Amino acid sequence: GENVEQHPSTLSVQEGDSAVIKCTYSDSASNYFPWYKQELGKGPQLIIDIRSNVGEKKDQRIAVTLNKTAKHFSLHITETQPEDSAVYFCAASLPYGNNRLAFGKGNQVVVIP
Amino acid sequence: NAGVTQTPKFRILKIGQSMTLQCTQDMNHNYMYWYRQDPGMGLKLIYYSVGAGITDKGEVPNGYNVSRSTTEDFPLRLELAAPSQTSVYFCASSYQGAEAFFGQGTRLTVV
């Protein structure tokens, strides 16, 4: 089955700097890659997603890039703010998987004011 | 729209007790899911449903059961609670090919 790995497990950045989280996946047939943000005590919330027919997608301060050849995709957060502190999960769709996702283990991002 | 609503938010069970975690969504989504989240382990799929009357096992179904009698509701049943089922449980829903919306979670402790 699909295996999704995230690196690094924790990331500390100074406010205003950029943060990059990378995920790798194992099944080349996966075609949908969302990123979720989870704040303490809350459920995950989609922040950005990308499909396999696109190499990059941007939404204000966040962007996602996809490298299908290398089977990895990355989340980029620019001009980080304290409210960006959270756990971020990447996921990859399971091929023929009835809309199911395989999740990574999550990255704790801490933005230091 | 309320989105995905889970009840209760917290629960403590004794070993061997049973309970039902409730999940309802008002977005008319056909897909619904139950995940458990353990520290440092991400989200593991327990059961999912592609529509009313249809359910299927995910990665970690043992010790759980589900039903989907309506589009809106997808309850998760624990029949004989065990300490290994201590976790945070999330219900989610989606429309085919679109983003998944998550509930706020149920924190369950089995003692």
Side-chain angles (χ1 to χ4, degrees), chain A residues 36 38 43 46 51 89 98-99, chain B residues 31 33 37 90 94 97 99-100:
Chain A
Y36 285 84
Q38 186 178 27
L46 180 76
R51 296 193 181 272
F89 291 96
N98 282 328
N99 244 31
Chain B
Y31 290 83
Y33 316 83
Q37 184 178 34
F90 288 101
S94 71
E99 71 172 284

Side-chain angles (χ1 to χ4, degrees), chain A residues 32 36 38 41-46 49 51 89 97-101 103-106, chain B residues 31 33 35 37 40-43 45 48 50 90 94-97 99-100 102-104:
Chain A
Y32 174 63
Y36 285 84
Q38 186 178 27
K42 296 185 178 181
Q45 185 174 16
L46 180 76
D49 57 10
R51 296 193 181 272
F89 291 96
N98 282 328
N99 244 31
R100 288 178 291 163
L101 299 170
F103 283 85
K105 293 184 178 180
Chain B
Y31 290 83
Y33 316 83
Y35 293 92
Q37 184 178 34
M41 295 302 293
L43 293 155
L45 184 64
Y48 69 101
V50 301
F90 288 101
S94 71
Y95 191 73
Q96 186 165 356
E99 71 172 284
F102 283 80
Q104 293 293 296

Side-chain angles (χ1 to χ4, degrees), chain B residues 67-97:
Chain B
S67 60
R68 185 93 184 270
S69 56
T70 66
T71 299
E72 295 78 19
D73 300 306
F74 190 42
L76 177 71
R77 179 85 178 159
L78 283 71
E79 290 294 350
L80 291 170
S84 60
Q85 293 177 305
T86 293
S87 189
V88 181
Y89 291 84
F90 288 101
C91 179
S93 72
S94 71
Y95 191 73
Q96 186 165 356

Side-chain angles (χ1 to χ4, degrees), chain A residues 59-100:
Chain A
D59 183 3
Q60 298 181 15
R61 293 188 298 109
I62 59 172
V64 55
T65 57
L66 172 64
N67 184 326
K68 289 187 290 183
T69 303
K71 290 189 283 187
H72 68 72
F73 56 111
S74 299
L75 178 70
H76 306 254
I77 307 173
T78 59
E79 301 172 24
T80 53
Q81 300 168 5
E83 53 264 38
D84 294 328
S85 295
V87 177
Y88 292 82
F89 291 96
C90 65
S93 59
L94 296 181
Y96 315 109
N98 282 328
N99 244 31
R100 288 178 291 163

